[in-house]
Amino acid sequence: MHAIVQKIVAQCPNAMVSVSEALGEVSVLIQRESIVPVCRLLRDDPTLDFDHITTICSVDFPGETPRFEVVYHLYSIGKNHRIRIKARVPEEDCTIDSVVGVWPGANFLEREVYDMMGIRFKGHPDLRRILMTEDYNEGFPLRKDFPVEGKGWRDTFEFV
Amino acid sequence: MSLYERPSHFEEDNVPKGARRTEDMLLNMGPQHPSTHGVLRVVLDLEGETIVKATPHLGYLHRGVEKLSENATYPQIIPLTDRLDYVCSMTTNFAFVRTVEKLLQVKIPIRAEYIRTIVAEMQRLTGHLFWLGTQALDIGAMTVFFYTFREREVLIDLFEMLCGARLTMSYYRVGGVDRDLTPEIVTRLYAFLETFPDKIDEYNTLLENNRIWTSRTQGIAVISAKDAIAFGLTGPVLRGSGVAYDVRKAEPYGVYDKVEWEVPVGKNGDTYDRYFIRVQEMRQSARIIKQCLDQLPSGPICADLPEVTYPPKDHVMTDMESLIHHFMIATRGFDVPPGEVYCPTEVPKGELGFYILSQGGNKPYRCHIRSPSFIHMGAFDHMARGYMIADVVTIFGTYDIVMGECDR
């Protein structure tokens, strides 16, 4: 097993769900409750040293339970290695703990995930929509059940 | 005496302490402002002229590129990536095709790798020239703009000769590039590189000893290396704080490992250092292009993978099967095996990465764009606090922000 993964298993034994390695990239699926402890471990352990948050995004799998997946890409500038952390989030309780306390750069990234997919981040200091307008209430655009052409106000346009 | 200090005779000594009423002010800047480089609004909490808090409001240029990508075939996404960073579309194309190639496990012919590197570095030059001109213009040094755009024009003319477009080029293809470098382009590029280092000196004479430029950039928007890393900054903004992270060195692609070049780093982490780094990067890019042209091997410019790559254009015009083949790739695209991949690329702004999740088929299931401009805006509040209103313009500029990429 990969050295980074061994470390997570040793330090957070209940967190791990599955590991996959493909195309030279390591993906770790963890329980959503342990996202903050695992991120803290990845950042603070001197052999892992994941000090750089690359990106956070989300994927919608309609029909699967849990429905959503939040994907974190981390990078270590000193060690020059990457890892992908994933956590599944169910539709009925669409929340996950925020990692803004671990990397302040996660602030805008989590706001974007909330805006696009409707996943709420517990403990986020300023969880508002970021790319859509703040009063937008027609749903979350990146969900698979949201039509590409948009919905709502466009339907009211008159055909000329 | 610093520019902001007032001479003491302006102080009204006879006002008793606490008698003057003070009030915080909320100032809205944008969404349409000449210096905001695209459409961006920022709400500033002010105490006098000093920024207490800055809240950026993004999304005015949001076109849902990630959503559109889920409903387009892979070749159809390449023109969409042009519209992300419309100032440097070649590098954005490059980032996308590299990600798809990583999923497909395609091996690129060596000549194509060289051409890709040359073109990406030409694009880095145009990006940095554009940045230098507009940044100086925003700060009040108008002349530099005309000089940098003179050189940018030469490079853009070369792009036009190469692929027919000047800004949104869609030149890269999965498996290679669209057209070969002609001898004329090579000659003109050599001629450009001959004089370009002197041109950089010329810009520097306009700026380096310009008192307005130095006092408006030195010590402005300082960010420490630790904070810069924690905020996820990349590119010249991170290197200005002294962190030598460059994707081209950390995870080399193209032919960056076959040529000699250096990663310039700053030490103060202020706007002046970031300016200095971009100027040094232009010198390095010129060095890379020169070596690539010297080493340029002959051979094919596209991988021999009929199911993925377009047939040569001259065949399409004369041969029925090639025409059908071209039509199939352009309309139906090609299937990509299931898998997920994140692939970072160094663009002039920083690290641009695509995360593609494929479940098979000719369209990505999810295509996420890690855009450096968006992440740099996340550090805006942190970097603007304590500076003056006039510095807001400098701070936008120092990120080299392009809203098309920021809002996607």
Side-chain angles (χ1 to χ4, degrees):
Chain A
M1 213 195 308
H2 204 275
I4 301 168
V5 181
Q6 280 174 350
K7 206 92 183 188
I8 302 174
V9 174
Q11 299 281 334
C12 306
N14 301 324
M16 188 69 74
V17 178
S18 68
V19 183
S20 65
E21 200 173 344
L23 304 165
E25 296 178 19
V26 185
S27 299
V28 183
L29 182 64
I30 61 167
Q31 300 283 357
R32 71 169 163 150
E33 290 76 23
S34 5
I35 185 71
V36 174
V38 167
C39 285
R40 273 194 198 285
L41 166 77
L42 289 167
R43 185 194 63 177
D44 295 335
D45 190 294
T47 58
L48 305 178
D49 192 27
F50 283 100
D51 47 3
H52 193 264
I53 175 99
T54 302
T55 187
I56 302 174
C57 65
S58 51
V59 192
D60 182 11
F61 296 99
E64 286 183 30
T65 41
R67 178 172 167 184
F68 300 107
E69 190 171 78
V70 186
V71 186
Y72 301 77
H73 285 91
L74 309 175
Y75 177 67
S76 161
I77 290 193
K79 299 276 183 294
N80 191 16
H81 54 201
R82 294 185 186 272
I83 195 168
R84 183 184 301 127
I85 303 288
K86 300 197 271 190
R88 296 302 282 251
V89 175
E91 193 178 1
E92 39 313 333
D93 176 28
C94 213
T95 57
I96 188 166
D97 290 331
S98 166
V99 296
V100 175
V102 188
W103 299 282
N107 187 325
F108 270 35
L109 294 165
E110 288 184 348
R111 275 179 69 185
E112 191 199 336
V113 172
Y114 163 66
D115 188 5
M116 292 289 133
M117 203 64 95
I119 297 165
R120 301 193 72 87
F121 289 86
K122 278 186 279 183
H124 190 287
D126 183 25
L127 196 66
R128 286 180 291 125
R129 284 190 178 266
I130 188 162
L131 294 177
M132 310 303 285
T133 53
E134 275 176 49
D135 57 352
Y136 187 80
N137 59 2
E138 286 163 22
F140 300 102
L142 271 182
R143 289 191 177 185
K144 289 283 178 187
D145 49 15
F146 191 95
V148 193
E149 62 273 16
K151 59 182 176 186
W153 62 276
R154 262 177 205 236
D155 301 341
T156 63
F157 284 7
E158 269 179 55
F159 278 101
V160 181
Chain B
M1 195 179 75
S2 109
L3 276 176
Y4 298 122
E5 260 175 68
R6 285 188 301 178
S8 60
H9 61 264
F10 278 113
E11 298 292 339
E12 297 162 50
D13 295 324
N14 52 358
V15 178
K17 221 172 170 186
R20 199 181 276 129
R21 193 174 68 91
T22 61
E23 202 175 290
D24 287 358
M25 193 168 85
L26 207 64
L27 182 79
N28 178 60
M29 199 168 165
Q32 298 285 359
H33 186 272
S35 71
T36 48
H37 298 258
V39 200
L40 162 70
R41 183 162 74 100
V42 54
V43 176
L44 303 166
D45 288 27
L46 298 169
E47 199 184 286
E49 248 194 289
T50 312
I51 298 161
V52 183
K53 187 168 179 274
T55 317
H57 291 259
L58 310 175
Y60 289 92
L61 235 56
H62 179 61
R63 294 146 299 169
V65 173
E66 291 183 10
K67 182 78 176 175
L68 290 172
S69 305
E70 289 172 14
N71 296 280
T73 64
Y74 290 94
Q76 286 168 353
I77 299 172
I78 296 175
L80 286 180
T81 64
D82 279 341
R83 275 85 187 159
L84 289 174
D85 181 356
Y86 38 76
V87 177
C88 306
S89 58
M90 287 284 196
T91 43
T92 324
N93 290 166
F94 197 8
F96 177 73
V97 297
R98 281 188 62 229
T99 315
V100 180
E101 281 158 7
K102 194 172 172 188
L103 258 175
L104 282 166
Q105 299 276 290
V106 178
K107 183 100 175 68
I108 310 302
I110 186 74
R111 184 176 171 86
E113 289 279 32
Y114 271 93
I115 294 176
R116 282 177 168 200
T117 311
I118 291 168
V119 172
E121 288 309 309
M122 283 163 71
Q123 186 72 87
R124 193 178 315 278
L125 285 178
T126 57
H128 283 352
L129 287 169
F130 186 93
W131 168 82
L132 184 60
T134 51
Q135 168 81 325
L137 185 69
D138 290 347
I139 296 182
M142 197 182 199
T143 322
V144 191
F145 182 81
F146 301 111
Y147 283 83
T148 58
F149 269 56
R150 180 186 61 190
E151 271 69 63
R152 182 173 174 269
E153 196 61 28
V154 175
L155 287 167
I156 289 197
D157 283 345
L158 288 175
F159 285 142
E160 196 178 352
M161 283 173 74
L162 184 63
C163 61
R166 291 166 64 83
L167 277 178
T168 48
M169 286 166 280
S170 300
Y171 172 65
Y172 289 72
R173 295 285 181 272
V174 177
V177 291
D178 182 32
R179 286 177 210 190
D180 205 349
L181 287 179
T182 60
E184 197 196 343
I185 295 173
V186 174
T187 322
R188 284 175 67 164
L189 198 50
Y190 266 123
F192 172 78
L193 295 173
E194 199 66 37
T195 54
F196 186 62
D198 297 340
K199 301 279 169 61
I200 299 176
D201 294 338
E202 206 172 85
Y203 315 142
N204 283 349
T205 55
L206 289 167
L207 292 173
E208 244 165 26
N209 300 316
N210 181 336
R211 188 153 167 245
I212 299 172
W213 173 263
T214 47
S215 54
R216 289 204 64 182
T217 54
Q218 282 176 352
I220 302 294
V222 180
I223 188 161
S224 69
K226 196 167 163 285
D227 287 346
I229 294 172
F231 273 102
L233 307 187
T234 47
V237 187
L238 178 63
R239 292 195 283 275
S241 303
V243 184
Y245 170 61
D246 189 314
V247 183
R248 294 173 290 169
K249 279 279 186 214
E251 294 163 41
Y253 55 90
V255 291
Y256 288 112
D257 49 349
K258 294 194 177 90
V259 289
E260 276 177 32
W261 61 284
E262 283 137 34
V263 180
V265 286
K267 59 173 193 271
N268 303 320
D270 62 357
T271 306
Y272 188 83
D273 275 20
R274 292 186 279 269
Y275 145 72
F276 191 71
I277 281 170
R278 288 193 175 101
V279 169
Q280 294 303 316
E281 278 189 9
M282 287 201 266
R283 293 187 196 281
Q284 297 299 331
S285 293
R287 220 175 130 194
I288 295 170
I289 299 173
K290 182 95 194 329
Q291 291 176 66
C292 285
L293 286 174
D294 289 343
Q295 298 174 12
L296 191 66
S298 55
I301 54 156
C302 213
D304 186 21
L305 276 169
E307 65 274 26
V308 171
T309 57
Y310 287 94
K313 197 74 182 172
D314 49 334
H315 291 202
V316 176
M317 297 301 182
T318 51
D319 179 32
M320 185 68 196
E321 280 72 29
S322 295
L323 182 66
I324 296 169
H325 181 192
H326 183 97
F327 183 73
M328 287 303 286
I329 301 270
T331 53
R332 214 209 140 261
F334 45 81
D335 286 351
V336 168
E340 54 181 338
V341 71
Y342 175 77
C343 184
T345 303
E346 185 79 20
V347 301
K349 272 100 200 145
E351 175 186 325
L352 180 80
F354 281 86
Y355 167 68
I356 294 181
L357 174 63
S358 163
Q359 291 194 338
N362 58 354
K363 292 169 185 167
Y365 187 76
R366 177 81 169 90
C367 176
H368 172 71
I369 304 153
R370 186 241 190 241
S371 79
S373 294
F374 180 75
I375 287 162
H376 290 169
M377 279 317 289
F380 181 76
D381 179 34
H382 178 80
M383 282 169 82
R385 284 187 190 198
Y387 294 101
M388 302 281 174
I389 301 174
D391 296 328
V392 170
V393 175
T394 317
I395 304 169
F396 282 140
T398 194
Y399 295 137
D400 192 3
I401 190 165
V402 169
M403 294 317 290
E405 184 203 28
C406 182
D407 295 344
R408 282 156 290 162

